[in-house]
Amino acid sequence: MVPKLKLASGQTSPEAFQAALDALDVIGRWEWNAATDRARVDGFVALLFDVDPDEAEQGVLLSLFIDSIHPDDRERIFAQIRRCRADGGTYLAEYRVISADGQTRWVLDRGRFSIDHLGRSVGGAGILVDITQMRMSEDAFSEVETHSMERPLDRAAEHAIAAQQAIVELQDAELKARADKLLMALGRRLAQQEVRERRRRMN
């Protein structure tokens, strides 16, 4: 459940939104359906991308999320999404978004796109981590590299995302809660790993 973050004027309070984000390491998960080109996301991800949370839970056009990516990152990220969507496989990127409170925030986006036996895109799912505080504390705003999928943590995240997709289809609330907890733990570890690797590249 998303806490009430709006002011009487209808604007989102930056302080309330930041406090809510700081309380979480993993913002949430996303799913994209290729047939409808609609993405469904958790409430916090919706606010992070300045999309209405109620509409986002039902599914909104992917373009609404793309439009909230920072203009300096948008073309690079959209090109990466198109490639992964066409070929299937894993997606990993860091980029800036303009959130509901008008602030620029950094996210680590990790997902997996699927194609059918004819090579057509079926959909995708993943997790998204707010790494704004880490980026600001490091003052590391360099171009982000795409990482290989050889690391055990990356493989674990890929399998957990796939498992979570299957568990949603099972409609088992207990298993879904466990899968969500695993994804949150993996999201925290992925963010920590990105920070360590960036520091290594800077030294």
Side-chain angles (χ1 to χ4, degrees):
M1 176 123 180
V2 180
K4 192 167 181 62
L5 303 173
K6 298 272 184 185
L7 300 172
S9 64
Q11 298 296 312
T12 300
S13 162
E15 295 79 14
F17 191 43
Q18 186 60 57
L21 291 179
D22 290 345
L24 297 171
D25 292 311
V26 174
I27 302 304
R29 60 195 279 311
W30 57 266
E31 297 173 7
W32 172 70
N33 184 315
T36 62
D37 194 32
R38 290 189 174 269
R40 294 177 63 233
V41 303
D42 294 344
F44 277 108
V45 175
L47 289 173
L48 198 66
F49 282 79
D50 196 16
V51 174
D52 181 87
D54 293 330
E55 292 178 13
E57 286 182 13
Q58 300 303 314
V60 295
L61 290 174
L62 181 63
S63 61
L64 287 180
F65 295 99
I66 300 294
D67 289 346
S68 287
I69 296 175
H70 191 283
D72 292 343
D73 297 338
R74 192 177 298 146
E75 186 177 330
R76 170 178 61 88
I77 296 304
F78 193 42
Q80 188 175 350
I81 290 171
R82 279 198 311 263
R83 279 194 309 273
C84 293
R85 195 164 68 177
D87 301 335
T90 301
Y91 166 78
L92 175 65
E94 281 182 36
Y95 53 91
R96 290 162 289 179
V97 295
I98 310 301
S99 59
D101 61 356
Q103 302 298 308
T104 298
R105 301 181 189 280
W106 281 93
V107 296
L108 173 65
D109 192 353
R110 175 77 170 74
R112 182 172 178 268
F113 290 92
S114 303
I115 56 176
D116 65 15
H117 66 287
L118 297 176
R120 295 175 302 199
S121 184
V122 174
I127 55 177
L128 194 127
V129 185
D130 173 35
I131 58 169
T132 305
Q133 295 302 322
M134 288 184 240
R135 293 288 300 209
M136 297 299 284
S137 65
E138 291 177 350
D139 195 28
F141 292 92
S142 57
E143 181 81 12
V144 178
E145 297 175 12
T146 302
H147 303 289
S148 82
M149 292 308 304
E150 296 305 311
R151 301 176 303 184
L153 187 57
D154 289 314
R155 290 197 311 271
E158 181 177 4
H159 291 303
I161 290 167
Q164 224 268 0
Q165 284 180 280
I167 288 167
V168 167
E169 292 174 20
L170 289 174
Q171 298 182 348
D172 184 313
E174 182 183 349
L175 283 177
K176 184 181 181 306
R178 289 175 185 238
D180 287 345
K181 188 174 180 180
L182 175 60
L183 282 175
M184 292 177 89
L186 286 167
R188 282 191 293 272
R189 293 290 179 88
L190 281 167
Q192 292 164 358
Q193 180 173 270
E194 291 300 313
V195 168
R196 285 194 302 270
E197 291 191 354
R198 192 178 305 110
R199 283 179 179 151
R200 260 200 308 274
R201 290 195 298 269
M202 291 172 65
N203 291 335

mmCIF file of all heavy atoms in Angstrom, residues 54-85:
data_model
loop_
_atom_site.group_PDB
_atom_site.id
_atom_site.type_symbol
_atom_site.label_atom_id
_atom_site.label_comp_id
_atom_site.label_asym_id
_atom_site.label_seq_id
_atom_site.Cartn_x
_atom_site.Cartn_y
_atom_site.Cartn_z
ATOM 1 N N ASP A 54 -2.836 4.048 -9.219
ATOM 2 C CA ASP A 54 -4.012 3.207 -9.470
ATOM 3 C C ASP A 54 -4.043 2.732 -10.919
ATOM 4 O O ASP A 54 -4.321 1.561 -11.197
ATOM 5 C CB ASP A 54 -5.301 3.967 -9.136
ATOM 6 C CG ASP A 54 -5.420 4.253 -7.641
ATOM 7 O OD1 ASP A 54 -4.890 3.439 -6.845
ATOM 8 O OD2 ASP A 54 -6.020 5.270 -7.277
ATOM 9 N N GLU A 55 -3.744 3.652 -11.844
ATOM 10 C CA GLU A 55 -3.713 3.269 -13.255
ATOM 11 C C GLU A 55 -2.572 2.296 -13.529
ATOM 12 O O GLU A 55 -2.716 1.345 -14.303
ATOM 13 C CB GLU A 55 -3.564 4.505 -14.140
ATOM 14 C CG GLU A 55 -4.772 5.417 -14.122
ATOM 15 C CD GLU A 55 -4.575 6.660 -14.973
ATOM 16 O OE1 GLU A 55 -3.608 6.704 -15.758
ATOM 17 O OE2 GLU A 55 -5.395 7.590 -14.849
ATOM 18 N N ALA A 56 -1.421 2.530 -12.891
ATOM 19 C CA ALA A 56 -0.239 1.691 -13.128
ATOM 20 C C ALA A 56 -0.456 0.261 -12.656
ATOM 21 O O ALA A 56 0.093 -0.674 -13.235
ATOM 22 C CB ALA A 56 0.978 2.295 -12.437
ATOM 23 N N GLU A 57 -1.241 0.069 -11.608
ATOM 24 C CA GLU A 57 -1.517 -1.291 -11.139
ATOM 25 C C GLU A 57 -2.384 -2.052 -12.134
ATOM 26 O O GLU A 57 -2.318 -3.274 -12.212
ATOM 27 C CB GLU A 57 -2.178 -1.250 -9.759
ATOM 28 C CG GLU A 57 -1.187 -0.899 -8.656
ATOM 29 C CD GLU A 57 -1.806 -0.893 -7.277
ATOM 30 O OE1 GLU A 57 -2.940 -1.405 -7.134
ATOM 31 O OE2 GLU A 57 -1.161 -0.377 -6.354
ATOM 32 N N GLN A 58 -3.207 -1.312 -12.905
ATOM 33 C CA GLN A 58 -4.037 -1.937 -13.936
ATOM 34 C C GLN A 58 -3.259 -2.146 -15.230
ATOM 35 O O GLN A 58 -3.563 -3.048 -16.002
ATOM 36 C CB GLN A 58 -5.281 -1.073 -14.215
ATOM 37 C CG GLN A 58 -6.167 -0.857 -13.014
ATOM 38 C CD GLN A 58 -6.651 -2.159 -12.414
ATOM 39 O OE1 GLN A 58 -7.099 -3.049 -13.143
ATOM 40 N NE2 GLN A 58 -6.537 -2.292 -11.105
ATOM 41 N N GLY A 59 -2.259 -1.291 -15.448
ATOM 42 C CA GLY A 59 -1.450 -1.373 -16.660
ATOM 43 C C GLY A 59 -1.597 -0.132 -17.516
ATOM 44 O O GLY A 59 -2.714 0.249 -17.869
ATOM 45 N N VAL A 60 -0.468 0.525 -17.808
ATOM 46 C CA VAL A 60 -0.466 1.713 -18.666
ATOM 47 C C VAL A 60 0.569 1.515 -19.771
ATOM 48 O O VAL A 60 1.455 0.665 -19.664
ATOM 49 C CB VAL A 60 -0.151 3.002 -17.867
ATOM 50 C CG1 VAL A 60 -1.244 3.298 -16.850
ATOM 51 C CG2 VAL A 60 1.196 2.917 -17.187
ATOM 52 N N LEU A 61 0.453 2.310 -20.814
ATOM 53 C CA LEU A 61 1.376 2.185 -21.943
ATOM 54 C C LEU A 61 2.817 2.381 -21.486
ATOM 55 O O LEU A 61 3.114 3.259 -20.670
ATOM 56 C CB LEU A 61 1.035 3.203 -23.023
ATOM 57 C CG LEU A 61 -0.265 2.956 -23.790
ATOM 58 C CD1 LEU A 61 -0.549 4.122 -24.732
ATOM 59 C CD2 LEU A 61 -0.187 1.656 -24.575
ATOM 60 N N LEU A 62 3.710 1.569 -22.020
ATOM 61 C CA LEU A 62 5.126 1.645 -21.673
ATOM 62 C C LEU A 62 5.685 3.036 -21.933
ATOM 63 O O LEU A 62 6.558 3.518 -21.216
ATOM 64 C CB LEU A 62 5.904 0.594 -22.471
ATOM 65 C CG LEU A 62 7.404 0.502 -22.213
ATOM 66 C CD1 LEU A 62 7.675 0.093 -20.769
ATOM 67 C CD2 LEU A 62 8.040 -0.482 -23.174
ATOM 68 N N SER A 63 5.159 3.722 -22.945
ATOM 69 C CA SER A 63 5.661 5.051 -23.304
ATOM 70 C C SER A 63 5.539 6.050 -22.150
ATOM 71 O O SER A 63 6.333 6.991 -22.057
ATOM 72 C CB SER A 63 4.932 5.583 -24.537
ATOM 73 O OG SER A 63 3.536 5.694 -24.271
ATOM 74 N N LEU A 64 4.559 5.878 -21.253
ATOM 75 C CA LEU A 64 4.425 6.784 -20.108
ATOM 76 C C LEU A 64 5.641 6.689 -19.191
ATOM 77 O O LEU A 64 6.073 7.694 -18.620
ATOM 78 C CB LEU A 64 3.159 6.472 -19.318
ATOM 79 C CG LEU A 64 1.832 6.869 -19.964
ATOM 80 C CD1 LEU A 64 0.670 6.485 -19.066
ATOM 81 C CD2 LEU A 64 1.805 8.360 -20.263
ATOM 82 N N PHE A 65 6.188 5.487 -19.045
ATOM 83 C CA PHE A 65 7.376 5.313 -18.210
ATOM 84 C C PHE A 65 8.617 5.853 -18.933
ATOM 85 O O PHE A 65 9.464 6.493 -18.323
ATOM 86 C CB PHE A 65 7.562 3.847 -17.837
ATOM 87 C CG PHE A 65 6.449 3.331 -16.968
ATOM 88 C CD1 PHE A 65 5.406 2.604 -17.512
ATOM 89 C CD2 PHE A 65 6.435 3.591 -15.603
ATOM 90 C CE1 PHE A 65 4.372 2.142 -16.716
ATOM 91 C CE2 PHE A 65 5.407 3.144 -14.801
ATOM 92 C CZ PHE A 65 4.365 2.415 -15.354
ATOM 93 N N ILE A 66 8.697 5.592 -20.230
ATOM 94 C CA ILE A 66 9.832 6.093 -21.016
ATOM 95 C C ILE A 66 9.885 7.615 -20.946
ATOM 96 O O ILE A 66 10.954 8.216 -20.812
ATOM 97 C CB ILE A 66 9.730 5.625 -22.492
ATOM 98 C CG1 ILE A 66 9.720 4.090 -22.593
ATOM 99 C CG2 ILE A 66 10.850 6.234 -23.330
ATOM 100 C CD1 ILE A 66 10.985 3.421 -22.175
ATOM 101 N N ASP A 67 8.711 8.278 -21.003
ATOM 102 C CA ASP A 67 8.664 9.739 -20.975
ATOM 103 C C ASP A 67 9.194 10.320 -19.672
ATOM 104 O O ASP A 67 9.627 11.479 -19.645
ATOM 105 C CB ASP A 67 7.228 10.228 -21.195
ATOM 106 C CG ASP A 67 6.736 10.009 -22.613
ATOM 107 O OD1 ASP A 67 7.577 9.725 -23.495
ATOM 108 O OD2 ASP A 67 5.515 10.083 -22.839
ATOM 109 N N SER A 68 9.171 9.553 -18.585
ATOM 110 C CA SER A 68 9.648 10.056 -17.295
ATOM 111 C C SER A 68 11.144 9.843 -17.093
ATOM 112 O O SER A 68 11.695 10.284 -16.085
ATOM 113 C CB SER A 68 8.872 9.389 -16.157
ATOM 114 O OG SER A 68 7.566 9.891 -16.104
ATOM 115 N N ILE A 69 11.795 9.157 -18.020
ATOM 116 C CA ILE A 69 13.252 9.008 -17.942
ATOM 117 C C ILE A 69 13.890 10.348 -18.281
ATOM 118 O O ILE A 69 13.426 11.076 -19.160
ATOM 119 C CB ILE A 69 13.737 7.899 -18.894
ATOM 120 C CG1 ILE A 69 13.171 6.536 -18.446
ATOM 121 C CG2 ILE A 69 15.261 7.847 -18.952
ATOM 122 C CD1 ILE A 69 13.491 5.391 -19.384
ATOM 123 N N HIS A 70 14.940 10.685 -17.567
ATOM 124 C CA HIS A 70 15.637 11.957 -17.777
ATOM 125 C C HIS A 70 16.016 12.092 -19.263
ATOM 126 O O HIS A 70 16.483 11.132 -19.877
ATOM 127 C CB HIS A 70 16.896 11.986 -16.907
ATOM 128 C CG HIS A 70 17.540 13.317 -16.829
ATOM 129 N ND1 HIS A 70 18.311 13.840 -17.855
ATOM 130 C CD2 HIS A 70 17.536 14.253 -15.848
ATOM 131 C CE1 HIS A 70 18.758 15.023 -17.506
ATOM 132 N NE2 HIS A 70 18.303 15.306 -16.297
ATOM 133 N N PRO A 71 15.814 13.280 -19.857
ATOM 134 C CA PRO A 71 16.102 13.459 -21.286
ATOM 135 C C PRO A 71 17.512 13.037 -21.697
ATOM 136 O O PRO A 71 17.708 12.529 -22.807
ATOM 137 C CB PRO A 71 15.905 14.966 -21.505
ATOM 138 C CG PRO A 71 14.964 15.380 -20.430
ATOM 139 C CD PRO A 71 15.251 14.504 -19.246
ATOM 140 N N ASP A 72 18.498 13.211 -20.812
ATOM 141 C CA ASP A 72 19.875 12.841 -21.154
ATOM 142 C C ASP A 72 20.093 11.331 -21.183
ATOM 143 O O ASP A 72 21.071 10.852 -21.757
ATOM 144 C CB ASP A 72 20.862 13.464 -20.168
ATOM 145 C CG ASP A 72 20.921 14.982 -20.297
ATOM 146 O OD1 ASP A 72 20.459 15.512 -21.322
ATOM 147 O OD2 ASP A 72 21.420 15.626 -19.353
ATOM 148 N N ASP A 73 19.191 10.565 -20.554
ATOM 149 C CA ASP A 73 19.324 9.109 -20.494
ATOM 150 C C ASP A 73 18.315 8.387 -21.384
ATOM 151 O O ASP A 73 18.478 7.207 -21.686
ATOM 152 C CB ASP A 73 19.119 8.614 -19.048
ATOM 153 C CG ASP A 73 20.164 9.153 -18.095
ATOM 154 O OD1 ASP A 73 21.250 9.544 -18.567
ATOM 155 O OD2 ASP A 73 19.894 9.187 -16.884
ATOM 156 N N ARG A 74 17.265 9.087 -21.790
ATOM 157 C CA ARG A 74 16.104 8.445 -22.422
ATOM 158 C C ARG A 74 16.453 7.660 -23.684
ATOM 159 O O ARG A 74 16.064 6.503 -23.847
ATOM 160 C CB ARG A 74 15.049 9.503 -22.735
ATOM 161 C CG ARG A 74 13.700 8.922 -23.123
ATOM 162 C CD ARG A 74 12.687 10.034 -23.338
ATOM 163 N NE ARG A 74 12.496 10.786 -22.113
ATOM 164 C CZ ARG A 74 12.242 12.097 -22.073
ATOM 165 N NH1 ARG A 74 12.174 12.793 -23.198
ATOM 166 N NH2 ARG A 74 12.068 12.712 -20.922
ATOM 167 N N GLU A 75 17.194 8.276 -24.600
ATOM 168 C CA GLU A 75 17.494 7.607 -25.873
ATOM 169 C C GLU A 75 18.322 6.343 -25.653
ATOM 170 O O GLU A 75 18.061 5.294 -26.240
ATOM 171 C CB GLU A 75 18.230 8.571 -26.806
ATOM 172 C CG GLU A 75 18.449 8.014 -28.198
ATOM 173 C CD GLU A 75 19.117 9.023 -29.119
ATOM 174 O OE1 GLU A 75 18.926 10.240 -28.940
ATOM 175 O OE2 GLU A 75 19.853 8.572 -30.013
ATOM 176 N N ARG A 76 19.328 6.446 -24.783
ATOM 177 C CA ARG A 76 20.192 5.290 -24.486
ATOM 178 C C ARG A 76 19.383 4.143 -23.877
ATOM 179 O O ARG A 76 19.517 2.981 -24.286
ATOM 180 C CB ARG A 76 21.296 5.725 -23.518
ATOM 181 C CG ARG A 76 22.116 4.585 -22.939
ATOM 182 C CD ARG A 76 23.221 5.096 -22.025
ATOM 183 N NE ARG A 76 22.742 5.840 -20.871
ATOM 184 C CZ ARG A 76 22.403 5.274 -19.712
ATOM 185 N NH1 ARG A 76 22.467 3.965 -19.559
ATOM 186 N NH2 ARG A 76 22.003 6.016 -18.701
ATOM 187 N N ILE A 77 18.521 4.452 -22.908
ATOM 188 C CA ILE A 77 17.756 3.415 -22.231
ATOM 189 C C ILE A 77 16.712 2.814 -23.155
ATOM 190 O O ILE A 77 16.525 1.593 -23.190
ATOM 191 C CB ILE A 77 17.095 3.979 -20.954
ATOM 192 C CG1 ILE A 77 18.171 4.400 -19.950
ATOM 193 C CG2 ILE A 77 16.149 2.959 -20.327
ATOM 194 C CD1 ILE A 77 19.146 3.293 -19.572
ATOM 195 N N PHE A 78 16.022 3.658 -23.940
ATOM 196 C CA PHE A 78 15.008 3.131 -24.847
ATOM 197 C C PHE A 78 15.630 2.219 -25.895
ATOM 198 O O PHE A 78 15.070 1.182 -26.251
ATOM 199 C CB PHE A 78 14.234 4.278 -25.504
ATOM 200 C CG PHE A 78 12.991 3.815 -26.209
ATOM 201 C CD1 PHE A 78 12.152 2.871 -25.644
ATOM 202 C CD2 PHE A 78 12.663 4.320 -27.453
ATOM 203 C CE1 PHE A 78 11.005 2.438 -26.301
ATOM 204 C CE2 PHE A 78 11.522 3.897 -28.124
ATOM 205 C CZ PHE A 78 10.694 2.958 -27.546
ATOM 206 N N ALA A 79 16.829 2.575 -26.379
ATOM 207 C CA ALA A 79 17.522 1.712 -27.347
ATOM 208 C C ALA A 79 17.870 0.368 -26.708
ATOM 209 O O ALA A 79 17.734 -0.688 -27.338
ATOM 210 C CB ALA A 79 18.788 2.403 -27.853
ATOM 211 N N GLN A 80 18.305 0.397 -25.453
ATOM 212 C CA GLN A 80 18.643 -0.842 -24.758
ATOM 213 C C GLN A 80 17.398 -1.705 -24.539
ATOM 214 O O GLN A 80 17.428 -2.928 -24.726
ATOM 215 C CB GLN A 80 19.308 -0.527 -23.419
ATOM 216 C CG GLN A 80 19.865 -1.751 -22.726
ATOM 217 C CD GLN A 80 20.618 -1.399 -21.449
ATOM 218 O OE1 GLN A 80 20.875 -0.226 -21.173
ATOM 219 N NE2 GLN A 80 20.953 -2.405 -20.683
ATOM 220 N N ILE A 81 16.284 -1.065 -24.175
ATOM 221 C CA ILE A 81 15.027 -1.802 -23.991
ATOM 222 C C ILE A 81 14.597 -2.442 -25.300
ATOM 223 O O ILE A 81 14.198 -3.608 -25.338
ATOM 224 C CB ILE A 81 13.926 -0.865 -23.452
ATOM 225 C CG1 ILE A 81 14.229 -0.474 -22.005
ATOM 226 C CG2 ILE A 81 12.548 -1.522 -23.545
ATOM 227 C CD1 ILE A 81 13.318 0.604 -21.451
ATOM 228 N N ARG A 82 14.664 -1.681 -26.403
ATOM 229 C CA ARG A 82 14.270 -2.229 -27.707
ATOM 230 C C ARG A 82 15.105 -3.456 -28.071
ATOM 231 O O ARG A 82 14.572 -4.461 -28.557
ATOM 232 C CB ARG A 82 14.422 -1.154 -28.792
ATOM 233 C CG ARG A 82 13.268 -0.185 -28.873
ATOM 234 C CD ARG A 82 13.252 0.571 -30.198
ATOM 235 N NE ARG A 82 14.550 1.143 -30.522
ATOM 236 C CZ ARG A 82 14.901 2.400 -30.282
ATOM 237 N NH1 ARG A 82 14.067 3.230 -29.712
ATOM 238 N NH2 ARG A 82 16.104 2.832 -30.617
ATOM 239 N N ARG A 83 16.431 -3.380 -27.845
ATOM 240 C CA ARG A 83 17.303 -4.518 -28.167
ATOM 241 C C ARG A 83 16.932 -5.747 -27.331
ATOM 242 O O ARG A 83 16.790 -6.842 -27.869
ATOM 243 C CB ARG A 83 18.772 -4.160 -27.910
ATOM 244 C CG ARG A 83 19.434 -3.366 -29.001
ATOM 245 C CD ARG A 83 20.950 -3.343 -28.844
ATOM 246 N NE ARG A 83 21.392 -2.954 -27.514
ATOM 247 C CZ ARG A 83 21.592 -1.716 -27.109
ATOM 248 N NH1 ARG A 83 21.370 -0.705 -27.940
ATOM 249 N NH2 ARG A 83 22.012 -1.448 -25.886
ATOM 250 N N CYS A 84 16.796 -5.552 -26.021
ATOM 251 C CA CYS A 84 16.500 -6.682 -25.138
ATOM 252 C C CYS A 84 15.119 -7.258 -25.419
ATOM 253 O O CYS A 84 14.913 -8.464 -25.347
ATOM 254 C CB CYS A 84 16.588 -6.254 -23.678
ATOM 255 S SG CYS A 84 18.255 -5.814 -23.159
ATOM 256 N N ARG A 85 14.196 -6.389 -25.756
ATOM 257 C CA ARG A 85 12.831 -6.806 -26.059
ATOM 258 C C ARG A 85 12.799 -7.652 -27.331
ATOM 259 O O ARG A 85 12.091 -8.653 -27.414
ATOM 260 C CB ARG A 85 12.012 -5.530 -26.239
ATOM 261 C CG ARG A 85 10.555 -5.661 -26.212
ATOM 262 C CD ARG A 85 9.916 -4.303 -26.001
ATOM 263 N NE ARG A 85 10.068 -3.388 -27.120
ATOM 264 C CZ ARG A 85 9.529 -2.172 -27.139
ATOM 265 N NH1 ARG A 85 8.853 -1.728 -26.110
ATOM 266 N NH2 ARG A 85 9.684 -1.407 -28.184
#
